[in-house]
C-alpha cells in the first residue's frame, strides 16, 4: 500500500468498526469524527442525505446514543462480512450490526455497506448504506432525521420534510 501501510482491507475495516463502537460507549465524539469523512453519503431505507458538517455528524451521533440508551444497549457486535480493496485508496466493506442488552438481542440485525477512503495517512468512512428494517426498534428513525442541520441551513429540506 502507498505510504507503507501494509494492513489488509479487513484490518482497516475492522479498525473503523471498533473505533465507532468505542466512540458510542465512551461518549467520545472526537473519536467518532476521526472515523468519518465529510461530506459523508448517508443512506437508509427511509432516504438519502449528505452529512456536510461536523454538526450533521454530531446530530447523528447524539440521536444514536439516545436510541442506545432507550434500548439499554450495552454491547454492539459487528462482524465484518467482506472488505476488499477497489483501488489502493478505496475499500468496499460490508458488516452486520447486532445490538444487545444484558445478553439479549434488542434489535433485528442489519447490514451496513460502506466505502472507506484513504485520506492522507488515515482511512475514513465516506459512505454508509444502512439496511435497517423500518420496524427495527427506533434505529431507522435515529439514523435518518427529518433533516440534518446543513440541509435546514441550505433550504434543501425543511425540519418537517419526512
Amino acid at each position: 500500500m502507498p505510504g507503507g501501510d501494509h494492513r489488509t482491507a479487513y484490518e482497516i475495516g475492522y479498525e473503523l468498526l471498533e473505533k465507532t463502537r468505542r466512540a458510542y460507549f465512551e461518549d467520545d465524539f472526537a473519536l467518532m469524527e476521526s472515523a468519518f469523512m465529510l461530506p459523508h453519503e448517508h443512506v437508509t431505507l427511509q432516504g438519502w442525505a449528505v452529512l456536510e458538517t461536523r454538526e450533521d455528524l454530531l446530530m447523528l451521533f447524539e440521536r444514536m446514543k439516545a436510541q442506545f440508551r432507550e434500548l439499554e444497549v450495552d454491547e454492539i457486535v459487528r462482524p465484518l462480512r467482506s472488505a476488499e480493496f477497489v483501488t489502493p485508496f478505496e475499500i468496499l466493506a460490508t458488516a452486520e450490526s447486532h445490538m444487545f442488552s444484558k445478553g439479549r438481542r434488542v434489535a433485528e440485525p442489519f447490514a451496513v455497506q460502506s466505502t472507506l477512503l484513504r485520506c492522507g495517512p488515515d482511512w475514513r468512512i465516506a459512505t454508509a448504506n444502512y439496511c435497517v428494517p423500518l420496524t427495527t426498534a427506533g434505529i431507522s428513525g435515529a439514523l435518518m432525521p427529518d433533516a440534518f442541520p446543513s440541509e435546514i441551513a441550505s433550504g434543501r429540506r425543511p425540519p418537517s420534510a419526512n
Side-chain angles (χ1 to χ4, degrees), residues 1 3-4 12 19 22 24 30-31 49 64 68 107 113 128 146:
M1 296 306 336
I12 293 163
K19 186 183 276 194
R22 281 186 36 235
Y24 283 123
L31 184 60
M64 289 302 293
F68 293 157
Q113 186 177 40
D146 289 338

Side-chain angles (χ1 to χ4, degrees), residues 48-103:
W48 172 87
V50 175
L51 282 61
E52 294 182 1
T53 66
R54 183 176 197 270
E55 290 73 28
D56 292 341
L57 187 59
L58 179 60
M59 178 187 201
L60 177 63
F61 181 68
E62 292 298 334
R63 288 173 64 92
M64 289 302 293
K65 282 191 328 178
Q67 189 59 47
F68 293 157
R69 279 191 304 274
E70 184 176 318
L71 295 172
E72 298 179 356
V73 172
D74 57 17
E75 185 58 67
I76 301 171
V77 177
R78 294 188 290 182
L80 189 58
R81 296 299 180 200
S82 67
E84 296 181 24
F85 282 102
V86 176
T87 74
F89 301 95
E90 180 180 359
I91 295 171
L92 291 180
T94 302
E96 285 180 357
S97 191
H98 303 262
M99 296 177 204
F100 299 92
S101 175
K102 300 177 183 103

Side-chain angles (χ1 to χ4, degrees), residues 5-63:
D5 188 346
H6 298 288
R7 293 176 294 165
T8 66
Y10 181 88
E11 289 168 327
I12 293 163
Y14 183 76
E15 180 181 299
L16 286 167
L17 285 171
E18 181 59 18
K19 186 183 276 194
T20 57
R21 188 192 71 76
R22 281 186 36 235
Y24 283 123
F25 287 115
E26 296 171 13
D27 192 19
D28 186 344
F29 178 68
L31 184 60
M32 176 66 82
E33 187 176 30
S34 73
F36 282 82
M37 184 178 116
L38 293 176
H40 173 81
E41 187 176 340
H42 182 77
V43 181
T44 73
L45 294 176
Q46 289 177 293
W48 172 87
V50 175
L51 282 61
E52 294 182 1
T53 66
R54 183 176 197 270
E55 290 73 28
D56 292 341
L57 187 59
L58 179 60
M59 178 187 201
L60 177 63
F61 181 68
E62 292 298 334
R63 288 173 64 92

